């Protein structure tokens, strides 16, 4: 089935938040924010702004009727700052006016007086001062102390990975209007309608049933709207609460970039030990997560870092420790992979360094240590259906790794200015919210009297195609024309207490609930079909093309007639079903359990060419063998792979978030923050499906695909590194992502001995330069 949104997207008729027609008299809200990263607030003077024409009100923490608190996991984050400012861009209040323009001019007139306090942006510094968001966590397996003694090679190192801006095409925003009795409806560009509902109720001091959140779709989230869509919705709700008017906010890109959190930067230390046959015997890693000024989702992100600290490898002796460090940056948040990529990058760096120390290719170490069925992850889950080895084998065979390595080597021998690099990148990603409690969903199905069907679930469509998959599930039960099936907006009145659409589990959780709802209705219709067709045989009835079929034979009973008959017999044609993932559990005391419904595996080969004169590079190819299970929608899933790969490459190579020493974001626009464009994407991405049985807990055995492919992008970092090493083997390399052209250029020449192969190079350079 083609993506059900495709036509409307192309025509520009899909509705996003800013496309909702405002009711006459609607007001606009604009946040104003801290102009410093850490300070005591002395005074906020809003009088000049308030008297600006068109400004209706300015609200700060003093105007909050309920609790000035939006923290999800830990209640440590005020909606509007009180007394103290903790990061540059922290909301201080909102200006409500007749238009966005009016509010913008008024915002310039607000004066904040403050006494500066010391700014900390470095997580290691925060840790040394014991500024932690939550107590540290540690995962342990085996006996590390005795394992080191068995190791023939031990290498240590330090790894940096930077943050990443979500850059959803639709910026944050929300639109609130009053209903009656003090209840309101809020359209929000959120992945988590219930989180918004709960927080609005809390801040306004009203019950949740008075707050209706509605989401038609969002223009991308990538995790950036799992938690951080909430404050903007609460702000417009507050303004509507006080003014009684509809109030809207749709953020300017530069405000959005400045005020919202990003992927967590990490700085980490590792120590890895290997046997003489390249088996990894021991791995010790310490993660310092840069959480920013409040918890947000940081503890959960840190947890997933630990879950993925050994990536797709079996390591018998592990100690992985994580600190969530409190700094004066905007609170960092969920981003596709949710801490997993950060953990995996350190493991891959450790392997790269071990390989370089030993003079072997990294893939020799990677390949020897891939996890197999029956082996244990550090958190106690036993690997099942582990396709690490089979995706690896298929990948190196199908895409001719051996041959390509030889080609790269001979290219590098012949060329001076250009060098090629190749890296193999296996991935392993656990599917389920790591917080077991969150793995549930509901679906509501109505079959109307004319046979048309309305579907509601808790899933938010954000471009990932979940609605198309939900459509396919309905079609499996009730195969009627597409125009007769509608997926409704995600609305808290129809589906309550949802988990956000996240953790790649949106289609699995909501799809399973939808399957149950459809099946329950179908089971009520079956006896009626038997009656109507007057058969007592065990027929396998189904609906095909709007007709009841008996086996492969069309009967005389139309779907629409069946529905009318069902109503005459007073059979319920509505169903609300609840699904909770079975089997999973995790004990935070022992840090052991079975947190994931299943794992997704895959292997990619990444090949790059570096121009060592300029430091720039091109991604020549990404060749993937991926574990889709049995994909229920190949084009949608391939879209997820391509998007994920490019986003991962962006994080690893070019996207560079910079805060100055005062804690101010200086990459707050697309002129200063570079993301992959059409020229930067791989010249070719090949995707091959590994043959697999799928998994019972995956929807229709089609495994979750949203986040895992991002981590193929790690391969780009190591491929570029390998190319640079071919040019300058003398460089004392660090691990510091993103590997921007500036850093590549520095590495090409730092410590480079001019007389290395001087004769060959002179000849080559005369020819090629
Ligand atoms: N794809 C698009 N086009 N836009 C997005 O915002 N978010 C990603 C992924 N793919 C995203 C996307 C993230 S972070 C997640 S968790 C999953 O989609 C969520 O959807 P799913 O659970 O239905 O896979
Ligand atoms: N969100 C969350 C997530 O709350 N828990 C998770 O485990 C998770 N994993 C990936 C993405 N978002
Ligand atoms: Mo995705 S980071 O789980 O929204």
């Amino acid at each position: 089935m083609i993506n059900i949104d495709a036509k409307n997207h192309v025509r520009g008729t899909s509705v996003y938040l800013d496309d909702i027609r405002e009711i006459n008299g609607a007001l606009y809200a604009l946040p104003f924010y801290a102009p410093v990263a850490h300070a005591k607030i002395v005074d906020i003077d809003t009088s000049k702004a308030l008297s600006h024409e068109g400004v209706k009100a300015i609200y700060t923490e003093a105007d909050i009727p309920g609790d000035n608190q939006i923290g999800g996991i830990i209640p440590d984050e005020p909606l509007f700052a009180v007394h103290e400012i903790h990061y540059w861009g922290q909301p201080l209040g909102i200006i409500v006016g007749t238009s966005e323009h009016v509010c913008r001019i008024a915002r310039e007139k607000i004066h904040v007086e403050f006494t500066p306090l010391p700014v900390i942006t470095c997580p290691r510094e925060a840790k040394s001062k014991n500024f932690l968001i939550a107590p540290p966590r540690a995962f342990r397996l085996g006996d590390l102390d005795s394992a080191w003694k068995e190791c023939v090679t031990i290498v240590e190192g330090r790894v940096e990975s930077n943050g990443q801006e979500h850059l959803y095409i639709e910026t944050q925003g929300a639109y609130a209007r009053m209903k009656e009795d003090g209840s309101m409806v809020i359209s929000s560009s959120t992945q988590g309608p219930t989180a918004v509902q709960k927080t609005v109720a809390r801040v306004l001091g009203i019950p949740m049933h008075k707050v209706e959140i509605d989401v038609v779709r969002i223009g991308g989230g990538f995790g950036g709207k799992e938690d951080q869509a909430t404050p903007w919705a609460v702000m417009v709700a507050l303004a509507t609460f006080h003014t009684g008017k509809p109030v809207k906010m749709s953020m300017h890109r530069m405000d959005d970039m400045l005020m919202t959190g990003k992927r967590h930067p990490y700085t980490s230390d590792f120590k890895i030990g290997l046997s003489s046959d390249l088996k990894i015997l021991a791995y010790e890693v310490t993660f310092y997560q840069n959480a920013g000024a409040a918890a947000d989702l940081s503890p959960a992100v840190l947890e997933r870092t630990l879950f993925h600290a050994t990536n797709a490898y079996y390591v018998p002796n592990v100690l992985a420790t994580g600190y969530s460090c409190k700094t004066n940056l905007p609170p960092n948040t969920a981003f596709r992979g949710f801490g997993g990529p950060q953990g995996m990058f350190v493991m891959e760096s450790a392997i790269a360094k071990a390989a370089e120390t030993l003079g072997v290719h990294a893939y020799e170490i990677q390949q020897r240590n891939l996890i197999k069925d029956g082996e244990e992850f550090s958190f106690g889950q036993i690997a099942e259906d582990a396709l690490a080895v089979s995706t690896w084998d298929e990948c190196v065979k199908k895409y001719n790794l051996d041959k390509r390595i030889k080609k790269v080597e001979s290219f590098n021998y012949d060329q001076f200015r250009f060098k090629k690099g190749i890296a193999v990148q296996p991935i392993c990603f656990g599917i389920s919210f790591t917080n077991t409690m969150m793995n549930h969903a509901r679906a509501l199905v109505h079959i109307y009297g004319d046979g048309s069907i309305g579907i509601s679930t808790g899933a938010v469509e954000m471009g990932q195609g979940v609605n198309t998959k939900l459509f396919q599930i309905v079609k499996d039960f009730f195969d009627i024309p597409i125009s007769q099936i509608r997926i409704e907006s995600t609305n808290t009145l129809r589906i309550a207490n949802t988990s956000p659409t996240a953790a790649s589990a949106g289609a699995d959780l909501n799809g399973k609930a939808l399957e149950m709802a459809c099946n329950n209705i179908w089971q009520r219709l079956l006896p009626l079909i038997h009656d109507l067709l007057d058969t007592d045989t065990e027929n396998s009835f189904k609906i095909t093309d709007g007709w009841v079929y008996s086996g492969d034979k069309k009967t005389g009973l139309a779907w629409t007639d069946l529905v009318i008959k069902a109503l005459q017999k007073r059979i319920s044609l509505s169903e609300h079903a609840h699904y909770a993932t079975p089997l999973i559990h995790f004990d935070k005391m022992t840090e052991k359990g079975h947190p994931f419904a299943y794992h997704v595996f895959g292997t990619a080969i990444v090949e790059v060419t570096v121009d060592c004169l300029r430091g720039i590079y091109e991604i020549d190819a990404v060749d993937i063998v991926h574990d889709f299970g049995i994909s229920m929608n190949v084009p949608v899933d391939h879209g997820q792979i391509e998007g994920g790969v490019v986003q991962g490459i962006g994080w690893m190579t070019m996207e560079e978030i910079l805060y100055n020493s005062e804690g101010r974001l200086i990459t707050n626009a697309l002129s200063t923050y570079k993301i992959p464009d059409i020229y930067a994407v791989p010249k070719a991405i090949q995707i091959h499906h590994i043959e697999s049985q799928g998994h019972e807990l995956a929807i229709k055995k089609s495994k979750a695909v949203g986040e895992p492919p991002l981590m193929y992008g790690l391969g780009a970092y190591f491929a570029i590194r390998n190319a640079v090493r071919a040019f300058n083997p003398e460089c004392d390399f660090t691990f510091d992502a993103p590997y921007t052209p500036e850093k590549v250029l520095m590495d090409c020449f730092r410590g480079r001995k001019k007389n290395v192969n001087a004769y060959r190079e002179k000849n080559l350079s005369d020819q090629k330069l």
Side-chain angles (χ1 to χ4, degrees), residues 62-193:
D63 302 295
I64 290 174
D67 197 1
N68 180 21
Q69 183 51 251
I70 62 168
I73 298 181
I74 299 172
D76 68 347
E77 189 178 358
L79 177 69
F80 297 134
V82 194
H83 309 310
E84 212 172 290
I85 285 163
H86 292 280
Y87 64 93
W88 200 302
Q90 182 174 8
L92 303 174
I94 46 169
I95 306 167
V96 184
T98 49
S99 73
E100 179 180 358
H101 183 66
V102 158
C103 296
R104 275 191 187 283
I105 296 171
R107 188 162 78 171
E108 300 297 312
K109 300 182 175 178
I110 289 178
H111 182 73
V112 184
E113 200 185 322
F114 55 82
T115 318
L117 293 168
V119 173
I120 292 182
T121 60
C122 166
R124 285 183 197 254
E125 188 185 346
K127 157 75 176 45
S128 74
K129 300 203 155 85
N130 215 20
F131 295 165
L132 298 179
I133 294 285
R137 300 275 300 269
F139 285 12
R140 289 184 176 82
L141 183 69
D143 176 359
L144 205 61
D145 288 338
S146 46
W148 293 125
K149 296 184 195 113
E150 318 248 304
C151 297
V152 174
T153 310
I154 295 176
V155 297
E156 293 179 64
R158 176 172 165 157
V159 179
E160 316 286 334
S161 63
N162 204 335
Q164 186 174 22
E165 164 62 43
H166 301 87
L167 225 96
Y168 24 68
I169 293 180
E170 179 192 34
T171 55
Q172 303 275 6
Y175 172 44
R177 54 269 182 207
M178 222 66 186
K179 295 199 287 189
E180 59 174 16
D181 298 335
S183 65
M184 60 175 79
V185 52
I186 304 166
S187 301
S188 165
S189 181
T190 182
Q191 291 173 243

Side-chain angles (χ1 to χ4, degrees), residues 567-641:
L567 289 174
Q568 284 169 354
K569 294 266 178 196
R570 296 185 289 173
I571 293 169
S572 165
L573 294 177
S574 293
E575 188 74 10
H576 179 264
H578 168 84
Y579 174 77
T581 314
L583 299 176
I584 52 172
H585 59 88
F586 192 72
D587 179 352
K588 280 195 184 182
M589 294 304 292
T590 57
E591 304 283 26
K592 298 280 178 196
H594 187 107
F596 299 119
Y598 56 88
H599 281 88
V600 171
F601 294 89
T603 303
I605 296 175
V606 184
E607 192 175 326
V608 304
T609 307
V610 175
D611 175 345
C612 300
L613 184 68
R614 295 195 288 171
I616 60 174
Y617 38 75
E618 286 186 333
I619 314 294
D620 300 320
V622 179
D623 299 315
I624 299 165
V625 174
H626 187 80
D627 164 26
F628 291 88
I630 303 161
S631 171
M632 67 184 286
N633 193 318
V634 172
V636 165
D637 285 355
H638 281 202
Q640 286 295 294
I641 301 262

Side-chain angles (χ1 to χ4, degrees), residues 191 222-223 226 334-338 501-504 707:
Q191 291 173 243
F222 305 111
E226 183 172 333
F335 196 132
R336 206 174 196 171
F338 205 76
T501 301
S504 305
E707 294 168 287

Side-chain angles (χ1 to χ4, degrees), residues 226 297 300 304 338 432-434 438 502-503 707:
E226 183 172 333
L297 291 164
R304 195 175 270 278
F338 205 76
S432 288
F433 288 94
T434 58
M438 293 172 76
E707 294 168 287

